[in-house]
Amino acid sequence: MTAPKVKLGAVRLGIGNAFARMPFRFGVVTMDAAASLTLELEMTVDGKHSVGYASDLLAYKWFDKRPEKTPADNVADLLWVVHLAASIAKDLPADTPFELWKQLDVAVDRAALAGGFNRLGASFGVSMIERAMIDGVGKALGLSFRAMLTNDALGLRPVDIFPQLDGMSLEDAIPSRPLTRLNLRHTIGMVDPLTAADPFEPVNDGLPETLEDYLREDGIRYLKIKLGGDLSTDIERLQAIAGVLAGGDYRIAATLDGNEQYKHLDDFAALMEAIRSRPALASLFAATLFVEQPLERSVALASPLDAKALDAIGLPLLIDEADGWTSAYREAINLGYHGVSHKNCKGVIRSLLNAMLATHHSHLAGRPGAYFQSAEDLTCLPAVSLQADLAVVAVLGIGHVERNGHHYFRGLEHLSVAEAEAALAIHPDLYERKDGRVQLAIHDGTLRVGSLEAPGLGSSVTPNLKDRIDPANWSFEMLNRTNHA
């Protein structure tokens, strides 16, 4: 089909306050509540009116980790960049979705940098508009995300961005059918309890709490382990995790997340050498697939990775926070990285292009899978955010996905009863009712996602912005439990 001409229009925003059931520490911050932003975008698709939705957490201390920026500053900056992207989008002339994305990507990146924000944060603003646009196009045409790609409804022209992809098709890089099951990769945060014997305050809400709970009750087979940047503390934590796995004879695959804790690759290599030298960690190291973003983003792409340090690490490295602009993965490959994370908050079209780059460079290397994508979005919450991300992961063919929103937040309680019930009714494979609550359904460590193959970007649940707070009336203090109560 010929890609439709899309004219982007008015945007409405609403914020919901999501309170965690237990604290989550990542990098330099511990989070116990977050603002969930929902965006409604009006548009015309070949003259037909349509509405698309996008949603995501306004995650502080991830997009911008500068110490002088408070969490409240971070959230304000993210709201600013979404408003910026919306104002630019509505002034763009009608064009194909790809052309609109391309123009928006350049304009928001430039304006965000001029406004003192960073390129990763700029990507968030672009992605919110992009996701809502893709959702609205799919609903107008009655096409799922995979069907949009099959029918070229987005008008993708990868060679416009990466000339080396000339002669290659997106179909060369993704499976012919979306995956219908995804393995859930459970993240072990730095203060998460491992066993009931650990010092922690139990929630006692009927949901799993410890690593041991998730391994036993949900059948988790993939783990993501957060590192803190201190060698002795990390080794002690890893040995405790390895002890839990050995004690239950759990067979898992794992990834490590450096969370930008290192300025020098040699320092991270020292940790990996210490891991490799300890017999108690031999099985865990053998089960580890890759390492995510050990280097701080300001140095991660500054120079080629040292070959001696890479040999000491012994695992492929992946960029995550350093993937702040469209060509970042291509640049990272040239420096010695092999992987890149997919996250909807960085961009859907970017991930499609990265899938093609990974396939292209694996072919050049003569080793299928030598260059790869992972799925790394920790706290996507139902319904719109979670489902859109899982829909893209399924189409990309990534078999396991980091997913912990169900761990840190209690079911779908952050949504209205009407939206939670609609999610369960429309997507009974992904959600279940248990102990009177609607929650994510995890069966043998997997998520069933077949129902996401529906018109739009994974979700048929229409958010009600009347249940959310207009950003003009919202304040960061609303995330304080005392104020909320």
Side-chain angles (χ1 to χ4, degrees), residues 349-393:
I349 291 175
R350 179 185 298 178
S351 285
L352 295 175
L353 296 174
N354 284 345
M356 295 181 69
L357 286 173
T359 299
H360 171 73
H361 284 276
S362 293
H363 177 74
L364 292 179
R367 290 184 293 131
Y371 295 86
F372 61 94
Q373 284 179 300
S374 67
E376 303 292 336
D377 221 337
L378 178 75
T379 49
C380 285
L381 296 183
V384 173
S385 176
L386 173 74
Q387 293 176 208
D389 191 70
L390 291 176
V392 177
V393 172

Short mmCIF file of all heavy atoms in Angstrom, two decimals, residues 349-393:
data_model
loop_
_atom_site.label_atom_id
_atom_site.label_comp_id
_atom_site.label_asym_id
_atom_site.label_seq_id
_atom_site.Cartn_x
_atom_site.Cartn_y
_atom_site.Cartn_z
N ILE A 349 10.74 3.79 15.84
CA ILE A 349 11.41 3.75 14.54
C ILE A 349 12.91 3.59 14.71
O ILE A 349 13.56 2.86 13.94
CB ILE A 349 11.05 5.00 13.71
CG1 ILE A 349 9.57 4.94 13.31
CG2 ILE A 349 11.93 5.10 12.46
CD1 ILE A 349 9.07 6.16 12.58
N ARG A 350 13.47 4.20 15.75
CA ARG A 350 14.91 4.00 16.03
C ARG A 350 15.20 2.53 16.25
O ARG A 350 16.21 2.00 15.76
CB ARG A 350 15.33 4.80 17.26
CG ARG A 350 16.81 4.60 17.61
CD ARG A 350 17.20 5.30 18.88
NE ARG A 350 17.01 6.74 18.78
CZ ARG A 350 17.24 7.58 19.79
NH1 ARG A 350 17.64 7.13 20.96
NH2 ARG A 350 17.05 8.88 19.61
N SER A 351 14.33 1.84 16.98
CA SER A 351 14.56 0.42 17.24
C SER A 351 14.45 -0.42 15.97
O SER A 351 15.18 -1.40 15.79
CB SER A 351 13.60 -0.09 18.31
OG SER A 351 13.99 0.35 19.58
N LEU A 352 13.54 -0.05 15.07
CA LEU A 352 13.45 -0.76 13.80
C LEU A 352 14.73 -0.58 13.00
O LEU A 352 15.26 -1.54 12.41
CB LEU A 352 12.25 -0.24 13.00
CG LEU A 352 10.86 -0.50 13.60
CD1 LEU A 352 9.79 0.18 12.77
CD2 LEU A 352 10.57 -1.99 13.72
N LEU A 353 15.25 0.64 12.97
CA LEU A 353 16.50 0.90 12.26
C LEU A 353 17.65 0.15 12.92
O LEU A 353 18.52 -0.41 12.23
CB LEU A 353 16.79 2.40 12.24
CG LEU A 353 15.78 3.27 11.48
CD1 LEU A 353 16.13 4.75 11.67
CD2 LEU A 353 15.75 2.93 10.00
N ASN A 354 17.67 0.12 14.25
CA ASN A 354 18.73 -0.59 14.96
C ASN A 354 18.68 -2.09 14.70
O ASN A 354 19.72 -2.76 14.65
CB ASN A 354 18.66 -0.30 16.46
CG ASN A 354 19.18 1.08 16.82
OD1 ASN A 354 19.86 1.73 16.00
ND2 ASN A 354 18.87 1.55 18.00
N ALA A 355 17.47 -2.63 14.55
CA ALA A 355 17.35 -4.05 14.21
C ALA A 355 18.02 -4.32 12.86
O ALA A 355 18.71 -5.36 12.69
CB ALA A 355 15.88 -4.46 14.16
N MET A 356 17.83 -3.42 11.92
CA MET A 356 18.45 -3.58 10.61
C MET A 356 19.97 -3.43 10.69
O MET A 356 20.72 -4.18 10.06
CB MET A 356 17.86 -2.58 9.62
CG MET A 356 16.38 -2.81 9.34
SD MET A 356 15.69 -1.63 8.17
CE MET A 356 16.52 -2.17 6.64
N LEU A 357 20.44 -2.47 11.50
CA LEU A 357 21.89 -2.31 11.68
C LEU A 357 22.51 -3.55 12.29
O LEU A 357 23.59 -3.99 11.87
CB LEU A 357 22.17 -1.09 12.56
CG LEU A 357 21.98 0.28 11.94
CD1 LEU A 357 22.14 1.36 13.01
CD2 LEU A 357 22.99 0.53 10.81
N ALA A 358 21.83 -4.13 13.29
CA ALA A 358 22.37 -5.33 13.94
C ALA A 358 22.47 -6.48 12.94
O ALA A 358 23.48 -7.20 12.88
CB ALA A 358 21.48 -5.73 15.11
N THR A 359 21.45 -6.66 12.13
CA THR A 359 21.46 -7.72 11.12
C THR A 359 22.54 -7.47 10.08
O THR A 359 23.27 -8.40 9.68
CB THR A 359 20.09 -7.82 10.44
OG1 THR A 359 19.10 -8.13 11.43
CG2 THR A 359 20.07 -8.90 9.37
N HIS A 360 22.65 -6.24 9.64
CA HIS A 360 23.65 -5.87 8.62
C HIS A 360 25.07 -6.16 9.13
O HIS A 360 25.87 -6.79 8.43
CB HIS A 360 23.49 -4.38 8.29
CG HIS A 360 24.58 -3.82 7.43
ND1 HIS A 360 24.68 -4.10 6.08
CD2 HIS A 360 25.62 -2.98 7.72
CE1 HIS A 360 25.73 -3.46 5.58
NE2 HIS A 360 26.31 -2.78 6.55
N HIS A 361 25.37 -5.73 10.35
CA HIS A 361 26.73 -5.91 10.86
C HIS A 361 27.02 -7.35 11.26
O HIS A 361 28.17 -7.81 11.16
CB HIS A 361 26.98 -4.95 12.02
CG HIS A 361 27.21 -3.53 11.58
ND1 HIS A 361 28.44 -3.07 11.17
CD2 HIS A 361 26.36 -2.49 11.43
CE1 HIS A 361 28.34 -1.80 10.82
NE2 HIS A 361 27.10 -1.42 10.96
N SER A 362 26.00 -8.08 11.67
CA SER A 362 26.19 -9.51 11.93
C SER A 362 26.54 -10.24 10.64
O SER A 362 27.39 -11.14 10.61
CB SER A 362 24.92 -10.12 12.55
OG SER A 362 24.68 -9.60 13.84
N HIS A 363 25.88 -9.83 9.54
CA HIS A 363 26.18 -10.42 8.23
C HIS A 363 27.61 -10.11 7.82
O HIS A 363 28.34 -10.99 7.33
CB HIS A 363 25.19 -9.91 7.19
CG HIS A 363 25.46 -10.41 5.80
ND1 HIS A 363 25.18 -11.71 5.42
CD2 HIS A 363 25.99 -9.79 4.70
CE1 HIS A 363 25.54 -11.87 4.15
NE2 HIS A 363 26.03 -10.72 3.70
N LEU A 364 28.03 -8.86 8.03
CA LEU A 364 29.40 -8.50 7.69
C LEU A 364 30.41 -9.30 8.51
O LEU A 364 31.48 -9.66 8.01
CB LEU A 364 29.63 -7.00 7.92
CG LEU A 364 28.89 -6.02 6.99
CD1 LEU A 364 29.22 -4.58 7.38
CD2 LEU A 364 29.27 -6.28 5.52
N ALA A 365 30.05 -9.55 9.77
CA ALA A 365 30.95 -10.31 10.65
C ALA A 365 30.91 -11.80 10.37
O ALA A 365 31.78 -12.55 10.85
CB ALA A 365 30.58 -10.05 12.11
N GLY A 366 29.89 -12.24 9.59
CA GLY A 366 29.76 -13.67 9.31
C GLY A 366 29.29 -14.47 10.49
O GLY A 366 29.48 -15.69 10.55
N ARG A 367 28.64 -13.81 11.45
CA ARG A 367 28.16 -14.49 12.66
C ARG A 367 26.75 -14.00 12.98
O ARG A 367 26.59 -12.91 13.53
CB ARG A 367 29.09 -14.21 13.85
CG ARG A 367 30.46 -14.87 13.74
CD ARG A 367 31.30 -14.64 14.99
NE ARG A 367 31.66 -13.23 15.14
CZ ARG A 367 31.51 -12.53 16.25
NH1 ARG A 367 30.91 -13.08 17.30
NH2 ARG A 367 31.90 -11.28 16.31
N PRO A 368 25.74 -14.76 12.66
CA PRO A 368 24.38 -14.35 12.99
C PRO A 368 24.24 -14.07 14.48
O PRO A 368 24.68 -14.85 15.32
CB PRO A 368 23.53 -15.56 12.58
CG PRO A 368 24.35 -16.25 11.53
CD PRO A 368 25.78 -16.06 11.95
N GLY A 369 23.65 -12.94 14.81
CA GLY A 369 23.45 -12.58 16.21
C GLY A 369 24.65 -11.96 16.88
O GLY A 369 24.60 -11.65 18.08
N ALA A 370 25.73 -11.75 16.14
CA ALA A 370 26.91 -11.13 16.75
C ALA A 370 26.59 -9.72 17.24
O ALA A 370 27.11 -9.26 18.25
CB ALA A 370 28.06 -11.08 15.75
N TYR A 371 25.73 -9.03 16.50
CA TYR A 371 25.23 -7.72 16.90
C TYR A 371 23.74 -7.88 17.18
O TYR A 371 23.04 -8.59 16.45
CB TYR A 371 25.51 -6.69 15.81
CG TYR A 371 27.00 -6.48 15.62
CD1 TYR A 371 27.74 -7.31 14.78
CD2 TYR A 371 27.67 -5.50 16.33
CE1 TYR A 371 29.11 -7.15 14.64
CE2 TYR A 371 29.05 -5.33 16.20
CZ TYR A 371 29.77 -6.16 15.35
OH TYR A 371 31.12 -6.02 15.24
N PHE A 372 23.24 -7.24 18.22
CA PHE A 372 21.92 -7.62 18.71
C PHE A 372 21.23 -6.46 19.43
O PHE A 372 21.85 -5.48 19.84
CB PHE A 372 22.05 -8.81 19.66
CG PHE A 372 22.91 -8.51 20.89
CD1 PHE A 372 22.31 -8.09 22.07
CD2 PHE A 372 24.29 -8.66 20.84
CE1 PHE A 372 23.09 -7.81 23.18
CE2 PHE A 372 25.08 -8.37 21.95
CZ PHE A 372 24.48 -7.95 23.13
N GLN A 373 19.93 -6.65 19.60
CA GLN A 373 19.11 -5.79 20.45
C GLN A 373 18.65 -6.58 21.67
O GLN A 373 18.44 -7.79 21.60
CB GLN A 373 17.86 -5.33 19.69
CG GLN A 373 18.10 -4.23 18.68
CD GLN A 373 16.81 -3.86 17.98
OE1 GLN A 373 16.20 -4.72 17.34
NE2 GLN A 373 16.38 -2.62 18.11
N SER A 374 18.50 -5.87 22.77
CA SER A 374 17.84 -6.44 23.93
C SER A 374 16.62 -5.60 24.25
O SER A 374 16.45 -4.51 23.70
CB SER A 374 18.80 -6.47 25.13
OG SER A 374 19.08 -5.13 25.54
N ALA A 375 15.77 -6.10 25.12
CA ALA A 375 14.56 -5.36 25.53
C ALA A 375 14.72 -4.99 26.99
O ALA A 375 14.79 -5.86 27.85
CB ALA A 375 13.32 -6.21 25.31
N GLU A 376 14.81 -3.69 27.28
CA GLU A 376 15.31 -3.24 28.58
C GLU A 376 14.47 -2.17 29.26
O GLU A 376 15.01 -1.27 29.88
CB GLU A 376 16.74 -2.68 28.41
CG GLU A 376 17.74 -3.63 27.81
CD GLU A 376 18.09 -4.79 28.69
OE1 GLU A 376 17.94 -4.69 29.92
OE2 GLU A 376 18.49 -5.84 28.15
N ASP A 377 13.16 -2.20 29.17
CA ASP A 377 12.40 -1.14 29.84
C ASP A 377 11.80 -1.67 31.12
O ASP A 377 10.88 -2.47 31.12
CB ASP A 377 11.31 -0.57 28.92
CG ASP A 377 11.24 0.94 29.05
OD1 ASP A 377 11.67 1.46 30.09
OD2 ASP A 377 10.74 1.60 28.13
N LEU A 378 12.32 -1.16 32.23
CA LEU A 378 12.08 -1.76 33.54
C LEU A 378 10.64 -1.63 34.01
O LEU A 378 9.98 -2.62 34.31
CB LEU A 378 13.00 -1.09 34.56
CG LEU A 378 12.82 -1.58 35.99
CD1 LEU A 378 13.43 -2.95 36.15
CD2 LEU A 378 13.45 -0.62 36.97
N THR A 379 10.14 -0.41 34.12
CA THR A 379 8.86 -0.21 34.81
C THR A 379 7.77 0.34 33.90
O THR A 379 7.04 1.25 34.26
CB THR A 379 9.04 0.72 36.02
OG1 THR A 379 9.77 1.89 35.61
CG2 THR A 379 9.77 0.03 37.14
N CYS A 380 7.66 -0.20 32.70
CA CYS A 380 6.48 0.09 31.88
C CYS A 380 5.24 -0.39 32.64
O CYS A 380 5.17 -1.54 33.05
CB CYS A 380 6.54 -0.68 30.55
SG CYS A 380 7.70 -0.02 29.38
N LEU A 381 4.29 0.49 32.80
CA LEU A 381 3.08 0.13 33.52
C LEU A 381 1.92 -0.09 32.56
O LEU A 381 1.84 0.56 31.52
CB LEU A 381 2.70 1.22 34.52
CG LEU A 381 3.71 1.47 35.66
CD1 LEU A 381 3.15 2.53 36.61
CD2 LEU A 381 4.02 0.19 36.42
N PRO A 382 1.01 -0.99 32.92
CA PRO A 382 -0.19 -1.17 32.09
C PRO A 382 -1.03 0.11 32.11
O PRO A 382 -0.96 0.89 33.05
CB PRO A 382 -0.93 -2.31 32.79
CG PRO A 382 0.11 -2.98 33.66
CD PRO A 382 1.03 -1.90 34.07
N ALA A 383 -1.87 0.33 31.10
CA ALA A 383 -2.03 -0.58 30.00
C ALA A 383 -1.26 -0.08 28.77
O ALA A 383 -0.57 -0.84 28.09
CB ALA A 383 -3.50 -0.75 29.64
N VAL A 384 -1.38 1.21 28.44
CA VAL A 384 -0.86 1.72 27.16
C VAL A 384 0.64 1.54 27.05
O VAL A 384 1.15 1.02 26.04
CB VAL A 384 -1.25 3.19 26.96
CG1 VAL A 384 -0.57 3.77 25.71
CG2 VAL A 384 -2.76 3.34 26.84
N SER A 385 1.39 1.94 28.07
CA SER A 385 2.86 1.89 27.99
C SER A 385 3.37 0.46 27.89
O SER A 385 4.16 0.12 26.99
CB SER A 385 3.46 2.57 29.22
OG SER A 385 4.86 2.48 29.23
N LEU A 386 2.92 -0.39 28.80
CA LEU A 386 3.36 -1.79 28.82
C LEU A 386 3.04 -2.48 27.50
O LEU A 386 3.88 -3.15 26.90
CB LEU A 386 2.69 -2.52 29.97
CG LEU A 386 2.91 -4.03 30.01
CD1 LEU A 386 4.31 -4.35 30.47
CD2 LEU A 386 1.88 -4.71 30.91
N GLN A 387 1.81 -2.33 27.05
CA GLN A 387 1.36 -3.07 25.87
C GLN A 387 2.04 -2.58 24.59
O GLN A 387 2.37 -3.38 23.71
CB GLN A 387 -0.15 -3.01 25.76
CG GLN A 387 -0.82 -3.77 26.90
CD GLN A 387 -2.32 -3.68 26.91
OE1 GLN A 387 -2.94 -3.77 27.96
NE2 GLN A 387 -2.93 -3.48 25.76
N ALA A 388 2.25 -1.28 24.47
CA ALA A 388 2.95 -0.76 23.30
C ALA A 388 4.38 -1.30 23.25
O ALA A 388 4.87 -1.71 22.19
CB ALA A 388 2.96 0.77 23.32
N ASP A 389 5.05 -1.34 24.40
CA ASP A 389 6.42 -1.83 24.41
C ASP A 389 6.48 -3.32 24.10
O ASP A 389 7.31 -3.77 23.31
CB ASP A 389 7.08 -1.54 25.76
CG ASP A 389 8.58 -1.78 25.72
OD1 ASP A 389 9.29 -1.00 25.05
OD2 ASP A 389 9.05 -2.76 26.33
N LEU A 390 5.58 -4.09 24.70
CA LEU A 390 5.58 -5.53 24.43
C LEU A 390 5.23 -5.82 22.98
O LEU A 390 5.77 -6.76 22.38
CB LEU A 390 4.58 -6.24 25.36
CG LEU A 390 4.94 -6.29 26.84
CD1 LEU A 390 3.81 -6.94 27.63
CD2 LEU A 390 6.25 -7.04 27.07
N ALA A 391 4.34 -5.02 22.40
CA ALA A 391 3.99 -5.22 20.99
C ALA A 391 5.20 -5.02 20.09
O ALA A 391 5.42 -5.77 19.13
CB ALA A 391 2.87 -4.26 20.58
N VAL A 392 6.01 -4.02 20.39
CA VAL A 392 7.21 -3.77 19.58
C VAL A 392 8.25 -4.86 19.81
O VAL A 392 8.86 -5.36 18.86
CB VAL A 392 7.79 -2.38 19.89
CG1 VAL A 392 9.09 -2.14 19.11
CG2 VAL A 392 6.78 -1.27 19.54
N VAL A 393 8.44 -5.27 21.06
CA VAL A 393 9.38 -6.35 21.37
C VAL A 393 9.00 -7.63 20.62
O VAL A 393 9.86 -8.31 20.05
CB VAL A 393 9.44 -6.60 22.89
CG1 VAL A 393 10.26 -7.86 23.20
CG2 VAL A 393 10.05 -5.41 23.62
#
